[in-house]
Structures are given as C-alpha cells and as structure tokens.
Amino acid sequence: DQQVKQNSPSLSVQEGRISILNCDYTNSMFDYFLWYKKYPAEGPTFLISISSIKDKNEDGRFTVFLNKSAKHLSLHIVPSQPGDSAVYFCAASASGSARQLTFGSGTQLTVLP
Amino acid sequence: EAGVAQSPRYKIIEKRQSVAFWCNPISGHATLYWYQQILGQGPKLLIQFQNNGVVDDSQLPKDRFSAERLKGVDSTLKIQPAKLEDSAVYLCASRTQGYGYTFGSGTRLTVV
C-alpha cells in the first residue's frame, strides 16, 4: 500500500519555464512533508519542506504548496534551470513516528536548454 | 562538516552469498537510518537506530538482514544469504534534530 504517490515518473520542461511536480498521500496522520532532490550516484539532498499548519512555503526558486483536504502537495520550480535536472522525491512524516520518512517513487525532471 | 560516509560504493555478489555495508554518520548525529531503494521506487526504511539502540526494525527482513550500531557511531548492515530481489541501493542517513536528514551516497548492490 503506497501511502505517498508520485504518479508522473518523468517530466520535461524548457529552461526558464515553470516545473510543477505533484505528490499525493493517503495517510491522514502525515503532518510534515519534504521534497528531496537526487542526482545519479548521490544520496538524496533536502530541498524544501512544509508543515501541515501551512499551505505554502517558499525558498528562492522553489515553492511547495499543500492542499490538506485533497491530500495533495506540489513543488514549483521557477524559473527552471538545466542544473535542476534530477529525480525529485516527495516524503511525508507523521507525529509520533520518530520522524521516519515515507517516500514516493520519484519524478525524473529534465530541464531542456 | 563531513557528510555521511558509506562503503563500498558498488558490490556484485552471487545469490546465496553474504554481503556487508558500512556507514559512518555525521559526528554527533544520534539517529541513524538504513533505507533500501529498489530501482524505480522511493527509499524504504529498513531500520532506525537512536544511539546504539534500535528504535524500529519492523520492516527489516530479519531472516536474512541484520544491522548493528556499536558504540552509537558506525553501523553495519548485513545480508545473508542474498536473494536476487535484494538488488538495490542501500542508503544510510543520519539526523541530529528536527528533520535534518543527511544521506550518504549509498551502496549499489547487484545480486546475480
């Protein structure tokens, strides 16, 4: 049972345009959400996070939106750059879970120059 | 700050053989995790340590997998005997407080 789903395995975007990566979750106990970026042969690196008490968090070119009623979050990258090409994982955690993360299956983003 | 060190980077073994992976977390990070990432999937938690004690090993296939974290620092993950479906990247992560996870580069295991 996949509790965190990323239904798009891949996404291609032109440089300078907006990239939108989506994530859905089923566990209503999740109250903290994170996005990680992963380059080949490297471990995931933290990108941005959001608590369930917020609906938006912004950090430079990256913005995460949370829609709790729809159990949906999205990552917006504006403007997209070729260096953003990587696999993006959505992760979620529930209070009392010792901050364990449940990951989605990832979306390969390719930013075309 | 040095990152999370893992070794080896790559390992190829035959099924039914044994293998061990090593992780050195960031100094001072009390919490250590081992994740398994199968190709095309997200990382899946195998075991969580707090210092040298196990917090959660409910998803660790204990008939073939074992892990230890002696002295609350380095950790080893062992598979014995390996199966074809164990082919994956094994990621180690450490955390100090909050959600400040730092992942290592992982060990890519291929079982043939």
Side-chain angles (χ1 to χ4, degrees):
Chain A
D1 176 32
Q2 270 191 295
Q3 299 186 62
V4 178
K5 298 179 184 179
Q6 294 177 256
N7 292 318
S8 298
S10 63
L11 174 68
S12 291
V13 170
Q14 208 68 34
E15 180 179 5
R17 306 295 289 269
I18 184 172
S19 296
I20 300 176
L21 295 93
N22 294 303
C23 177
D24 297 292
Y25 62 96
T26 57
N27 188 341
S28 57
M29 300 302 292
F30 288 147
D31 59 3
Y32 200 82
F33 305 89
L34 308 91
W35 285 93
Y36 283 82
K37 180 166 75 172
K38 186 180 183 304
Y39 292 117
E42 295 183 14
T45 55
F46 171 75
L47 194 56
I48 192 169
S49 62
I50 188 167
S51 164
S52 60
I53 62 173
K54 295 186 175 181
D55 54 18
K56 176 183 173 181
N57 188 27
E58 193 171 351
D59 183 3
R61 297 186 296 115
F62 303 91
T63 303
V64 56
F65 295 91
L66 176 62
N67 182 334
K68 288 188 293 292
S69 61
K71 293 190 175 66
H72 176 83
L73 63 156
S74 61
L75 174 68
H76 292 210
I77 307 174
V78 182
S80 301
Q81 299 173 354
D84 296 329
S85 297
V87 177
Y88 289 78
F89 290 101
C90 170
S93 181
S95 296
S97 70
R99 293 196 169 89
Q100 292 175 7
L101 299 180
T102 301
F103 284 85
S105 55
T107 296
Q108 171 70 58
L109 173 66
T110 302
V111 180
L112 305 168
Chain B
E1 176 181 76
V4 175
Q6 288 190 247
S7 67
R9 289 299 305 273
Y10 305 93
K11 190 75 177 178
I12 300 175
I13 62 172
E14 295 183 350
K15 59 184 178 184
R16 291 187 290 272
Q17 285 187 323
S18 63
V19 64
F21 313 127
W22 174 81
C23 173
N24 180 232
I26 292 175
S27 176
H29 282 199
T31 310
L32 185 147
Y33 307 84
W34 283 101
Y35 281 85
Q36 179 193 57
Q37 186 186 1
I38 293 172
L39 186 65
Q41 300 180 20
K44 181 187 119 180
L45 179 68
L46 291 175
I47 188 167
Q48 177 183 354
F49 291 94
Q50 180 74 18
N51 296 310
N52 62 344
V54 175
V55 172
D56 184 357
D57 63 357
S58 60
Q59 299 184 75
L60 188 73
K62 298 182 191 60
D63 58 333
R64 299 183 300 105
F65 286 65
S66 64
E68 60 182 9
R69 190 184 184 196
L70 299 176
K71 300 180 182 178
V73 182
D74 293 7
S75 177
T76 56
L77 176 70
K78 297 178 182 177
I79 308 175
Q80 181 180 11
K83 293 185 175 182
L84 296 176
E85 58 261 37
D86 298 332
S87 294
V89 175
Y90 290 85
L91 293 163
C92 178
S94 68
R95 179 175 66 80
T96 173
Q97 58 184 3
Y99 286 94
Y101 276 70
T102 302
F103 283 87
S105 297
T107 296
R108 180 176 294 278
L109 173 67
T110 302
V111 183
V112 298

